Amino acid sequence: STIPAAGRGAFATRHISEGSVISVSPLLLFHRKHFVMEYGDGSQNQQLATNYCLGHPQSTLLFFPYAPLVGLINHDSKSPNAEIRWFKKSGEDNSDMFERKFSANPNTSKKVDFMIEYVATRDMKPGEEIFMDYGQEWEHAWKEHEEHWIPQEDAADYVTHSS
C-alpha cells in the first residue's frame, strides 16, 4: 500500500471508469457470537476477522465478503475512489431484502443470499491504489487502537508472511 504500515493494497491494473464495477463479492452471513473468542480466565475478545465484516452495531448478524483481493482495499476518508453497493441482477427488485428470513448458520444456508459490488466513484489510472471510506466509527476505533496498542516484547523478532 501507499499508506505506511498498512500492508498490502489493491491497485488498478487498467483504466477504471467512474461507475465501473471493480469487483463483485458474495457475502457469508454469520451470527456475531461466532467471532467471539473466550479465554480460560473468562475474558472475551473479538476475532480479527470482524475487521473485514460488514454489519450494524446493534445487529447480531455480520456479513463477511469473500472475494479475491477485496480485503486489500484500504481506508482513506479524505479521497476514497471506490464504494460498496448492493449487487442487483438486471430487473431484480430487492427492496424487501431486509424483511426476508436468513440463516446465519453456514451449515444450513444452501445459497448465497447477498452480494455486493465494489464500484469506482471516479476514474482511476493504472497503478492507482483503490481506497474506500470505512466510516467514522472504524476510523475512531483505529485511532484508539494505535494510541493504546503495546507491542509484545519480542515484536522486533516478528517475521511477516511476506518477508
Side-chain angles (χ1 to χ4, degrees), residues 1-9 72 74-75 129 131 142:
S1 176
T2 57
I3 300 173
R8 298 169 62 189
L72 299 177
N74 286 314
H75 167 72
E129 187 165 3
F131 292 110
W142 179 253

Side-chain angles (χ1 to χ4, degrees), residues 76-138:
D76 185 343
S77 61
K78 293 177 180 56
S79 56
N81 53 13
E83 66 184 6
I84 295 174
R85 69 179 180 202
W86 291 109
F87 175 79
K88 185 176 177 182
K89 292 180 186 172
S90 180
E92 179 182 57
D93 176 21
N94 57 1
S95 59
D96 69 336
M97 71 166 48
F98 294 111
E99 296 175 27
R100 300 181 209 155
K101 298 224 182 265
F102 298 97
S103 172
N105 181 344
N107 296 323
T108 60
S109 183
K110 302 295 183 208
K111 64 182 181 75
V112 174
D113 293 308
F114 295 105
M115 291 181 65
I116 54 175
E117 297 176 320
Y118 297 81
V119 181
T121 57
R122 62 170 177 76
D123 288 352
M124 286 184 249
K125 297 175 183 166
E128 187 174 345
E129 187 165 3
I130 301 169
F131 292 110
M132 291 188 311
D133 183 353
Y134 293 178
Q136 290 179 345
E137 185 177 338
W138 183 92

Side-chain angles (χ1 to χ4, degrees), residues 35-84:
F35 289 100
V36 175
M37 297 181 300
E38 296 184 10
Y39 300 103
D41 64 1
S43 64
Q44 294 182 338
N45 202 348
Q46 290 186 352
Q47 292 185 28
L48 182 62
T50 57
N51 290 343
Y52 298 93
C53 290
L54 307 168
H56 191 279
Q58 296 176 353
S59 174
T60 59
L61 300 178
L62 291 173
F63 294 107
F64 182 80
Y66 68 101
L69 307 177
V70 296
L72 299 177
I73 299 174
N74 286 314
H75 167 72
D76 185 343
S77 61
K78 293 177 180 56
S79 56
N81 53 13
E83 66 184 6
I84 295 174

